[in-house]
Amino acid sequence: MRWLRPVYVFTSIATVLVLWFGVRMGFGSDPLVWRVSCLLGAWAPLLGAVILAYVRAVGDREHTVGVAWLVRAIGMHCVLLWMIGVGDYLAGLGAGRRWVADVAAPLVLLGFAPVFLGCFAAVEWVRSVAKRVPRSVERPALPIERSSEAAFRGVRVVRETVTTDERATWSYVLGFAGITGNLLAPQHAVAITVACAVASAVMATRNARGFVPSLLLLSTATVVALCMRVSDGQVSLWPALSIAPWIAMAAIAALVLPLDLTLRLREAPARR
């Protein structure tokens, strides 16, 4: 499969961010722009963590100075997205509150670091588990292959995944069951999501092809439950959109935690 060059991805992200800041500067007093700014501020640390994980994954595919500058500019804009969004939320819409930017802005800037580090640790945790789920073997790397593992006694090795033709049917069944359960009984969304996550973790240990679909379907199930609460008037739309990524991360953690523990227990006897 031929993937899109990273430079095109980085250029698109940078263009969207620059256009958004232009809209924010020109129409910041508009209620819709203010709400979107607060929303993007809530998502900024997670967005920055995902972008950094992507940069680490494709870093060997781009070596130009322009791309390096572009990546650093995107990182700066993610921090700026957080500062402006949180600042807009604390200041409120209109002149109802007093926002002392000279005093509070440095605190908002410092607050980005722990939230971003937590998000990046969560993303890397999911990536590390995803690498250990498939059954794989190490073999010497060919001259034309990029080595993805550390050299052992001077021999560069690559990790080759052993694929399986078995379909991950039960993972899809559990994922759609979680979506249906949260759609019909959103008041029990936590119990339904956790039960489906643990069952999906068990299925993923037997069939690695069910890991990614389980992540996507469980994340969708949490968003469905949140949408049902919005439609019932229990939660407002914009706060729901602000916390949606974080609730989806909690659902993913409910799947990854038992799966990680199972893999560690399975790997422990092999190391003895």
Side-chain angles (χ1 to χ4, degrees), residues 182-187 225-235:
N182 288 347
L183 182 64
L184 299 177
Q187 65 274 15
L226 199 59
C227 292
M228 292 303 298
R229 290 183 176 271
V230 171
S231 64
D232 293 340
Q234 301 178 14
V235 184

Side-chain angles (χ1 to χ4, degrees), residues 202-217:
V202 175
M203 293 295 105
T205 58
R206 300 180 179 180
N207 189 348
R209 296 180 65 178
F211 180 66
V212 175
S214 297
L215 291 181
L216 297 177
L217 291 172

Side-chain angles (χ1 to χ4, degrees), residues 36 62 66 84 99 103 107:
V36 174
E62 298 288 350
I84 293 178
W99 168 243
V103 177
L107 299 178

Side-chain angles (χ1 to χ4, degrees), residues 7 14 28-29 42 50 61-62 75 96 98-99 125 128 137 151 165 172 185 188 199-200 202-203 216 253:
V7 63
S29 59
V50 172
R61 295 174 56 188
E62 298 288 350
R98 178 173 177 79
W99 168 243
W125 180 38
S128 66
V137 295
D165 295 331
Y172 288 99
H188 303 297
S200 298
V202 175
M203 293 295 105
L216 297 177

